[in-house]
Amino acid sequence: MAGVFISYRRADSQTWADRLADSLILRFGGGLIWRDVDDIPAGEPWPTEIRKALAAADAVLVLIGPDWLGNRRLTERRDVLRHEIQTALGSKASVVPLLVGGAGIPEPAKLPRAIRSLATLAKHQGVTLRDGWHWRDDVNVLLAELRRIVGNRRHGEPLKRLYEKLGQFQSDYFSVLAKPAQALDIARQTLQLLDDQTPHYPHEPILQIVRGYTYKNEAMALRDLNDPAGFEQSLVRAEAVFRAMRAETEVHTAAAYNGLGSVEILRGRMQPGKVWIKRALRLWPDYPEALQDLQTVESHVAAGGRRRRRRSSFAQRA
């Protein structure tokens, strides 16, 4: 049952939707996140699946990118995105507009009457997701709002009790490894528990690690049950969790490296500062602050080289 429905126009905000989904799945689990690109079973009529997902959603995130209004498809009554937004606005779900890619709040007059209230929501309750270093901070703001929305509609276990249950599931899983059907059932019970509880603890890294390894356990059971497609799907999910964790960890490490570089620069030690900044960029090549600091250091070093050459030339003439 979807807790969070992500509504977006692929031509406008596919990249941000994918990145956001990775962040949300890491914390809330795939069972609570719904996107039409991934979650409509083959052969199913997508309008029916969308209606089911919207009816089950606690929150609907409407991504508004720079070209959201550009092709005017929202004016068409049969437009899928318009249908999603209109259904969401008339449902019990909390609708949260998300501005991405530098997009501004849409003007109400440019929206069809059926979804015009979205502009008011964007103005008063919308969240802006900025690129670069700000992305994580802005997602954390969104997570706090989703924790309130989704968490309040689910009973939360005390964290200590939750760890005890997860530990018992892990012990039970390894005790029945020779019986893959039972092992698979335990792995899926573990994932269900994580889906129910992680909205209360979206920043607990241990729960994220447990999720990744539980997908791996699910894959092992499916392998032993001769289900190659299911085996690969579970491995992909495990890999996605660990990749998302690695990316977020590297962002923090890159910030630390760049900070050390900045300290060295303030001491006038440009070369050691440059070494730290380059270490930051190896982890996060698009880190805006590190790129700017590197440019500053290289300009300073180049200017120093020119001054030394001028002094050397003057000394030779003297």
Side-chain angles (χ1 to χ4, degrees):
M1 180 177 292
V4 179
F5 184 106
I6 302 176
S7 177
Y8 65 100
R9 176 103 52 207
R10 296 182 195 182
D12 170 60
S13 49
Q14 174 84 59
T15 300
W16 292 284
D18 290 345
R19 189 177 179 189
L20 177 62
D22 287 343
S23 293
L24 296 182
I25 288 171
L26 175 63
R27 293 168 174 86
F28 293 162
L32 289 182
I33 310 302
W34 202 95
R35 290 181 297 167
D36 62 332
V37 67
D38 289 333
D39 297 325
I40 296 179
E44 291 290 331
W46 56 260
T48 300
E49 291 301 314
I50 289 175
R51 281 193 292 271
K52 287 180 182 178
L54 285 168
D58 299 313
V60 178
L61 308 181
V62 181
L63 270 66
I64 300 173
D67 298 320
W68 192 69
L69 280 172
N71 56 22
R72 305 299 296 170
R73 285 173 60 187
L74 283 172
T75 60
E76 301 172 8
R77 291 185 177 276
R78 299 184 64 180
D79 178 53
V80 176
L81 184 63
R82 171 174 166 165
H83 170 73
E84 289 179 359
I85 297 169
Q86 185 174 345
T87 302
L89 290 170
S91 74
K92 295 180 181 179
S94 297
V95 179
V96 182
L98 300 179
L99 303 175
V100 299
I105 298 171
E107 296 179 23
K110 293 184 178 180
L111 296 179
R113 187 177 300 275
I115 63 170
R116 195 162 290 173
S117 60
L118 183 68
T120 303
L121 284 174
K123 182 177 181 180
H124 297 288
Q125 301 177 34
V127 175
T128 299
L129 300 181
R130 295 165 292 177
D131 293 325
W133 172 246
H134 300 288
W135 175 268
R136 181 181 173 88
D137 292 338
D138 292 344
V139 168
N140 282 337
V141 172
L142 174 63
L143 284 170
E145 179 67 9
L146 291 178
R147 181 180 182 181
R148 181 187 65 80
I149 295 169
V150 180
N152 286 349
R153 302 180 188 185
R154 288 170 169 77
H155 172 70
E157 294 267 5
L159 194 56
K160 181 179 178 181
R161 177 62 179 152
L162 178 56
Y163 284 147
E164 289 173 353
K165 286 186 175 182
L166 291 170
Q168 186 60 55
F169 274 138
Q170 185 79 342
S171 177
D172 292 346
Y173 173 86
F174 284 107
S175 71
V176 297
L177 271 180
K179 302 175 181 178
Q182 291 184 34
L184 178 62
D185 182 60
I186 292 170
R188 288 180 172 170
Q189 288 182 57
T190 307
L191 290 170
Q192 182 60 58
L193 177 62
L194 288 167
D195 282 357
D196 288 342
Q197 295 301 313
T198 47
H200 297 282
Y201 307 106
H203 297 296
E204 277 294 316
I206 292 176
L207 298 182
Q208 298 166 12
I209 292 170
V210 170
R211 181 180 297 282
Y213 277 103
T214 304
Y215 280 133
K216 186 213 68 171
N217 291 346
E218 182 183 51
M220 291 168 59
L222 289 166
R223 176 199 61 194
D224 296 340
L225 288 168
N226 297 313
D227 184 351
F231 168 74
E232 181 59 30
Q233 184 179 52
S234 295
L235 283 185
V236 167
R237 288 173 174 166
E239 184 180 30
V241 168
F242 293 129
R243 284 187 181 276
M245 290 188 69
R246 177 188 174 190
E248 296 203 359
T249 301
E250 286 180 345
V251 166
H252 279 293
T253 305
Y257 286 162
N258 195 62
L260 289 168
S262 299
V263 169
E264 294 293 349
I265 292 169
L266 286 173
R267 287 173 172 158
R269 300 172 58 183
M270 297 297 163
Q271 287 302 334
K274 185 176 180 179
V275 170
W276 281 116
I277 292 168
K278 285 193 170 183
R279 289 185 68 178
L281 288 169
R282 280 198 294 271
L283 288 175
W284 187 8
D286 297 327
Y287 188 0
E289 286 81 357
L291 289 169
Q292 183 177 350
D293 288 347
L294 180 62
Q295 184 179 13
T296 300
V297 169
E298 290 181 337
S299 297
H300 187 279
V301 171
R306 288 193 295 271
R307 286 195 296 270
R308 286 192 296 272
R309 286 194 294 273
R310 284 198 297 270
R311 285 197 298 270
S312 174
S313 175
F314 177 79
Q316 290 175 3
R317 289 197 302 272

